[in-house]
Structures are given as C-alpha cells and as structure tokens.
Amino acid sequence: MGIQRNSPKVSPKRTLKFLLDLDSKHNSSRQPHTNSVYEEILSLIPYCSYTYTFTDPSESPSQQNFKRDKLINLLAIIKPLKKPIPDEILSPLFTMISTNLFRPLPPPHTTSIVSILPDDDDLVATPTAAWLHLHIIYDILLRLVINLEPKSLREYIDESFIQNLLTLFQSEDPRERESLKNVYHKIYAKFHSSRSFMRKAMNDVFLHYIFETEQKHCGVGDLLEIWGTIINGFSIPLKEEHKLFLTRVLIPLHRPKGMQAYHQQLAYCVYQFVEKEPMLGVVVVQGILRYWPVTNCQKEVLLIGELEALVDSMGLEEYKVLALPLCTRITKCLNSWNSQVAERALYIWNNELFVKMASQAIDDVFPVVVEGMEKNLKWHWSRSVRQLTQNVKEMLEEMESSLYSKCLSELDDNDSATNKEEMRRRERWERLEMAARTNQFIQE
C-alpha cells in the first residue's frame, strides 16, 4: 500500500531539538516580518488540513508524525500573535480547524467505564484515535480565541460553529471534553453577544438528553461545569429566565438513570441558585422529591446528601414548608432494606440545621419519625442500622421526651387497633369459609 491520495509529501523526520528551537524562535523578542509569518501559516495549513483515520493500515506513521510536526509548527507561530489577523489567513485557518474537529463520532457504548466509575477522570473509556493531532488543534483554536478580538472572529465562530462544538461533547474521551470545555467557556467569556444563544444551545442538549433519548451523554457533567461558573456570575435578584432554567432543566436532570455520572456538577449548580435566593430551595426540594428513584439505591444516597446541603442554605420560612415532606422521605429512606441508604438517612439527623428544620413542624414530623424509628428497631436486618436508629431515638427523646412518649403511645394504640381489625377480618373470613362448607354439604 502506497501513500494515500492527496497525502502531503513526507519530509525528513523532525527532531525534538528542532521543534524546541523553532518554538523558541517564534517566541523570541525579535518577531519576523508580518508578511513572512502569514506566508508561513498559509504554507502549513494544507499539511494540517489532511485528516487521518488512524485505523487504515495504508496510513503511514511517518505521515501522521509529519502532520503533527506541522501542527506544532503552526501553534508555535500563532501563540505570540496579538495583532489582528486578516481574513485571508483566518478563513483557511478556521477551515482547517473545522475539517479536523467536526467529524462523525462513534455511537456511544451502552455500558461504559465512565458510567460505572464517574469520579475517576483518569479512566478513558474510548480513547480518540486522532488525539495525537486533535489536542494541538484545540490549542490552536484556544489561542486564537484568547489572542484576537471577538469582532475579528465573529464571522468564523458563529452559531453553526458553536453548535458543532456542542456536538463534540458527546465524545467518550475525557481529554477531548476537557479541551472543549476550556474553549467553550473562553468563547462564552469573550463573545458577549453570543451568550444567550450559547446558554440556549446547552439547554437544548440537556432537554434532549432528559426527554428524548435513552442513550447516555458523556458531556452532561462538563456542560454543567460550564453552567456552574455562569450561575456564579448571576446578579441578585435572579432573572425570570434563569429561574426557568432551574425549574425546567436542572431539576428534571435529577430524573435520568445516569445521573450519578454528573451529580456533583448538578448539585453545585442547584446549590448556587439556592444560595442566591433561599426561597428557591422549596421548589428544588419539592422537585427532587418528585423525581425520587424507586429502585436505584446509589441515586438515593446521592440525593440524601444533596438535600442535606440544601437545608444548610435555607431559612426558617423554607423550613416550615419543607419539614414534613422532607422528614417523611428521610424516614422512608431510613426504613430502606439497603443498609447504605438507611445509614445515610440516619446520619442526616446529626446535622443541627436539619434537626432545626424538623423542629419547625415538630407536631407533624414526630409521629412519622417515631413510627419509622420503632419499625427499624423491631424489623431491620442490619445490626449497624438498628444501633444508629437507637442513637437517633435517644437524641429525639432527649430533645422532646414528652412528645416522643405521646407519639409512642399513639403508635401502640394504632397497632392495637390494627391488630383488633385484623382479628375481626380473620373471624369474618372464617365464618365465610364455614358457611361455604355448610352450603356445599347441603347441596351434596
């Protein structure tokens, strides 16, 4: 197999010393003449525009290394450039960038290391074969965004370009998503007129992921990380547009099965909203309770932690509204047969602010909590859960001894009434069975 059609001619192999000397030359205080710099850029672009699959056996490693050397050369030239670059240079330069970056991505895997171990950023589920070249392309794009004024780039970094960047967040290579995140965030910071579109475009990605597809999206966490810095800059009082983003996008993002992969970034975004306007905590907590998982114990543990953090940022008015529904859910969790969920729900009672919230509606909360405590002490299989339950019970008894005793007495009365009703039901059933046997005997 020979050299591919349209493949650039391979030059002698560049040594590391040569590349370092070249980089040093372009970063020296003695800048080359502008025209000669532009001519050199134009001479390098054709070599950098040729793309390799890195899977075709006809592709020579020497060809791929040759392109990499040219990309390093181009990056070294662009790095120090601060003055405006004419369209005659920018146009082919952005064509080269688009040709390399905007490529078809492989379909996402249904099972992935990323979804199993979301916190381990060092694991690469599906390495991008072309990363040898792509990481330099991203560096070139980032340098152009940093060095040049938005007005000179607006023709090239338009809505279509931004939309294509967002599509690349589906890449399963975390190295590429990290580079994308840096580029996208820098564009958002500099291109003020594009901010509204960029926010809407990210929201469309979230909404499609929540409501229109069952496939995982590896870039949700990275996009939420960008949103976290955006929310941090919101002024108070919050605009209605931003509140709608919270209720229509962030809260429903608690629903998908793959929430564990991006929960840390999601919880940070939500917390920023509640910290700015505590009354939004009521909406958030009610939304989380509405999307509470039925069988996913890992999600339950994460959500209990998120609820605890939200309670820390709210005030008395919010406590009065949330005390009963929140304590009801926590009680159901401490009765869970999964010991991790039960223990996490019991540990939340060590939080002074959570106890303070419960005390705002103590007459309504205690009957629910006492019933859950006694149920654990009688029936839970885990010794550690029973011991933690006993510790919480002692704390609650010390806090409101008379009310706890009253609730315990009412619980005993209810149990007695339930037992009596059960006995009456059994007696009625036995009478029906006896009548049925008698009727059958008469007929025979």
Side-chain angles (χ1 to χ4, degrees), residues 144-311:
L144 288 171
V145 174
I146 292 174
N147 287 354
L148 303 182
E149 292 297 320
K151 62 181 179 180
S152 62
L153 295 175
R154 192 165 287 115
E155 180 180 348
Y156 308 101
I157 302 181
D158 54 8
E159 292 184 358
S160 175
F161 188 90
I162 291 170
Q163 199 70 53
N164 286 331
L165 284 179
L166 278 176
T167 302
L168 293 176
F169 275 99
Q170 297 182 62
S171 170
E172 291 192 345
D173 193 330
R175 300 170 300 181
E176 180 168 15
R177 297 198 306 273
E178 183 67 24
S179 295
L180 273 166
K181 183 172 61 181
N182 293 336
V183 170
Y184 198 91
H185 192 272
K186 187 61 66 175
I187 292 173
Y188 185 90
K190 293 194 70 172
F191 288 68
H192 291 215
S193 61
S194 299
R195 287 182 176 181
S196 178
F197 172 79
M198 295 177 75
R199 292 196 301 268
K200 181 180 181 302
M202 286 190 287
N203 292 352
D204 289 343
V205 173
F206 293 142
L207 293 172
H208 180 76
Y209 170 71
I210 296 168
F211 298 110
E212 297 184 19
T213 180
E214 290 297 324
Q215 292 182 335
K216 70 183 183 69
H217 191 301
C218 295
V220 172
D222 300 281
L223 292 173
L224 285 170
E225 197 169 328
I226 296 172
W227 258 111
T229 59
I230 295 173
I231 297 168
N232 192 38
F234 286 166
S235 58
I236 302 173
L238 294 170
K239 295 181 180 178
E240 191 63 28
E241 169 198 351
H242 303 325
K243 293 180 183 180
L244 288 175
F245 167 68
L246 172 67
T247 56
R248 295 180 179 179
V249 180
L250 289 184
I251 294 176
L253 273 172
H254 289 82
R255 191 186 75 167
K257 290 182 287 187
M259 186 207 70
Q260 296 98 304
Y262 56 81
H263 178 261
Q264 183 178 358
Q265 297 91 334
L266 175 61
Y268 176 77
C269 290
V270 170
Y271 184 83
Q272 292 272 10
F273 271 103
V274 178
E275 193 174 39
K276 289 178 181 294
E277 290 194 11
M279 193 58 199
L280 290 174
V282 175
V283 178
V284 171
V285 171
Q286 291 173 342
I288 293 175
L289 295 180
R290 184 168 63 250
Y291 292 117
W292 200 268
V294 178
T295 58
N296 193 327
C297 297
Q298 290 180 335
K299 282 182 68 173
E300 286 193 273
V301 172
L302 292 174
L303 292 178
I304 292 171
E306 184 176 355
L307 291 176
E308 183 176 5
L310 290 172
V311 167

Side-chain angles (χ1 to χ4, degrees), residues 24-80:
S24 175
K25 178 183 71 174
H26 286 289
N27 283 284
S28 64
S29 57
R30 186 177 60 85
Q31 293 290 338
H33 191 270
T34 303
N35 288 337
S36 63
V37 171
Y38 292 159
E39 289 174 3
E40 191 169 1
I41 292 174
L42 288 174
S43 68
L44 291 170
I45 286 176
Y47 298 100
C48 299
S49 298
Y50 189 86
T51 58
Y52 295 94
T53 64
F54 288 84
T55 57
D56 191 337
S58 66
E59 294 175 357
S60 167
S62 61
Q63 294 174 318
Q64 297 166 358
N65 290 334
F66 177 72
K67 176 183 175 180
R68 183 172 185 274
D69 293 346
K70 293 296 184 182
L71 284 169
I72 293 174
N73 194 343
L74 182 58
L75 177 61
I77 296 171
I78 289 175
K79 268 186 177 180

Side-chain angles (χ1 to χ4, degrees), residues 355-373:
V355 176
K356 182 179 180 180
M357 178 205 67
S359 66
Q360 297 303 307
I362 197 165
D363 291 334
D364 296 325
V365 166
F366 251 54
V368 176
V369 175
V370 170
E371 182 179 0
M373 295 289 173

